[in-house]
Amino acid sequence: MSNMSCYILLVALWGISSSCNSSVSSRGVITGEVLRDTGKLLPVHITDSVAFDTDDPAIWINPADPAKSLVLGTDKDSRGGLYVFDLEGKIVHKVDGLKRPNNVDIAYGFLWQGIPTDIAVVTEREAKKVRIYRLPDMQPIDQGGIAVFSGVEEGDPMGIALYKAPDSILYVIVGRKTGPSGSYLWQYRLSGGEGQSLHMELVRKFGQYSGKKEIEAIAVDKELGYVYYSDEQTGVRKYYADPGKGDQELALFATSGFTDDHEGISIYPTGIGSGYILVSNQQKNTFMLYPREGHINNKHRHDLVAEIPLSTLESDGSEVTAVDLGSRFPKGLFVAMSNGRVFHYYDWRDIQRRIDQAIGRAQAKQP
């Protein structure tokens, strides 16, 4: 039986469930408890299987032909690797020999050897390093990796997010397996250095931590300049991505409605400053969506918009793009890790329909 047939069968067995205690603001955004959408949304494609354990994806947009864009995904094991998939989920390249690669992110136009270069940066947890690869050929440009969390025992890197500031400085924000509250995340400035070498300079330590579990999922809103991370079993925390703007926590949201762990975070723009923040409700197999722009009276207030059940199982990492990737993904692509050593590809139009249905039903219940 094919992967897709298996998931269709599972959906039939799971059945359909919903709840609808909701209210709608004047802006059409659901507040309070939201309507849970009915049924599990099926992926368009399921990727080829990796060897050990998928964890986190990233999407590279091909500037010459977006329909030939690529999805990168980590295989988290002591003998792990970094896989490259096409938009049908087929493996087209693989980097072997990484010691428990955890999370991956992408930056465009990084100045390396005087040439604007797209790069992928991945945490190599057991080596206590980050690895840097040139895109799309996946050639390493880091001379074996760059150490992070130097001088501390609690220094096993896990989450990672890249932020290219308006002045073109590229920052690498790294989380770890465990660490102290207030300095759990370390932020580095990445530069080309001398000759072929790369250099990372520590510029700040920040980030509150509940102490309940760990911090892994990190995402940066590059346009608005915010960094979000999942404090598992607590909520999502929000800070400025620019270290010059200080270390004050701007928001703690997504504090209710989660079965257990808060996981993968991704950001889908619908316009300048607007869109959705998607957070994996891991053990419930749903994604919780929050307004990217915040509340009309407080841009750092993020109330739940919708909860979308997907066919992913215990999804850890995720990524999304709104770029037109051709006829199959004209409004963008959402990629989520799933148990079974695979990633799932979703057409954003399918997700948007579920959001619109949830909001529409909630509005219809208003007096």
Side-chain angles (χ1 to χ4, degrees):
M1 183 180 291
S2 67
N3 283 345
M4 184 59 72
S5 297
C6 290
Y7 278 97
I8 291 172
L9 177 61
L10 284 172
V11 170
L13 294 173
W14 278 324
I16 297 174
S17 61
S18 64
S19 61
C20 50
N21 296 320
S22 309
S23 61
V24 182
S25 73
S26 61
R27 300 172 64 239
V29 175
I30 299 176
T31 60
E33 185 181 354
V34 300
L35 179 69
R36 185 172 185 268
D37 211 349
T38 58
K40 296 279 182 177
L41 185 61
L42 294 173
V44 173
H45 295 300
I46 297 173
T47 65
D48 293 340
S49 299
V50 305
F52 302 105
D53 181 20
T54 48
D55 193 89
D56 186 54
I59 302 170
W60 176 73
I61 308 299
N62 187 323
D65 185 356
K68 295 181 180 178
S69 297
L70 301 171
V71 174
L72 282 65
T74 57
D75 185 16
K76 187 173 62 175
D77 188 83
S78 297
R79 301 160 292 165
L82 182 61
Y83 284 72
V84 182
F85 307 90
D86 64 19
L87 291 185
E88 292 185 349
K90 303 300 182 183
I91 297 171
V92 297
H93 194 77
K94 177 185 175 184
V95 176
D96 284 313
L98 297 180
K99 297 179 180 179
R100 203 172 178 82
N102 216 110
N103 285 31
V104 60
D105 201 6
I106 286 171
Y108 297 86
F110 171 68
L111 198 62
W112 179 66
Q113 296 186 342
I115 302 172
T117 304
D118 296 348
I119 59 172
V121 184
V122 60
T123 51
E124 190 176 12
R125 185 163 149 192
E126 291 179 359
K128 302 184 187 300
K129 294 179 179 180
V130 298
R131 300 301 312 274
I132 303 174
Y133 299 91
R134 184 176 64 196
L135 288 165
D137 62 5
M138 297 304 294
Q139 291 301 305
I141 62 172
D142 58 5
Q143 297 182 314
I146 302 173
V148 289
F149 299 114
S150 297
V152 299
E153 292 184 5
E154 300 170 332
D156 295 343
M158 293 180 67
I160 194 165
L162 307 182
Y163 171 58
K164 191 173 185 181
D167 59 4
S168 295
I169 293 175
L170 183 62
Y171 294 101
V172 182
I173 301 171
V174 190
R176 44 186 160 156
K177 179 66 176 176
T178 188
S181 182
S183 60
Y184 197 106
L185 280 73
W186 288 19
Q187 183 165 352
Y188 299 84
R189 175 177 176 171
L190 180 63
S191 58
E194 298 280 335
Q196 295 187 19
S197 66
L198 295 174
H199 177 68
M200 291 207 325
E201 176 189 2
L202 180 63
V203 295
R204 72 162 167 168
K205 305 174 184 179
F206 72 102
Q208 295 299 309
Y209 170 49
S210 67
K212 291 184 178 179
K213 195 169 182 183
E214 61 194 25
I215 293 168
E216 181 176 7
I218 310 171
V220 169
D221 188 323
K222 297 173 176 63
E223 177 195 345
L224 299 183
Y226 300 123
V227 56
Y228 300 89
Y229 62 88
S230 287
D231 187 342
E232 294 185 23
Q233 301 183 352
T234 297
V236 175
R237 299 184 186 273
K238 177 182 181 181
Y239 288 79
Y240 286 116
D242 184 342
K245 292 187 176 181
D247 300 337
Q248 176 188 359
E249 184 170 278
L250 303 174
L252 171 61
F253 63 98
T255 57
S256 62
F258 284 76
T259 298
D260 198 354
D261 292 345
H262 302 67
E263 277 290 356
I265 305 174
S266 47
I267 299 165
Y268 183 89
T270 56
I272 298 175
S274 63
Y276 303 103
I277 303 167
L278 297 89
V279 183
S280 174
N281 190 346
Q282 189 177 32
Q283 282 73 30
K284 198 175 180 182
N285 300 321
T286 66
F287 276 80
M288 314 288 269
L289 279 72
Y290 303 86
R292 178 185 178 220
E293 62 270 33
H295 189 270
I296 190 170
N297 295 320
N298 180 358
K299 63 183 178 181
H300 300 312
R301 173 181 162 185
H302 301 276
D303 295 328
L304 192 61
V305 174
E307 179 179 9
I308 309 297
L310 302 185
S311 295
T312 55
L313 299 177
E314 296 200 17
S315 184
D316 205 332
S318 62
E319 186 57 283
V320 69
T321 180
V323 173
D324 179 353
L325 300 182
S327 59
R328 196 63 198 86
F329 303 104
K331 293 295 183 181
L333 167 68
F334 179 67
V335 181
M337 166 268 170
S338 180
N339 283 355
R341 300 179 290 122
V342 295
F343 296 95
H344 288 192
Y345 291 5
Y346 294 89
D347 181 345
W348 181 262
R349 294 175 297 177
D350 295 334
I351 294 176
Q352 187 64 58
R353 276 192 287 269
R354 296 295 183 100
I355 298 170
D356 294 342
Q357 290 167 5
I359 293 175
R361 286 193 289 263
Q363 289 176 328
K365 295 181 70 66
Q366 299 305 298

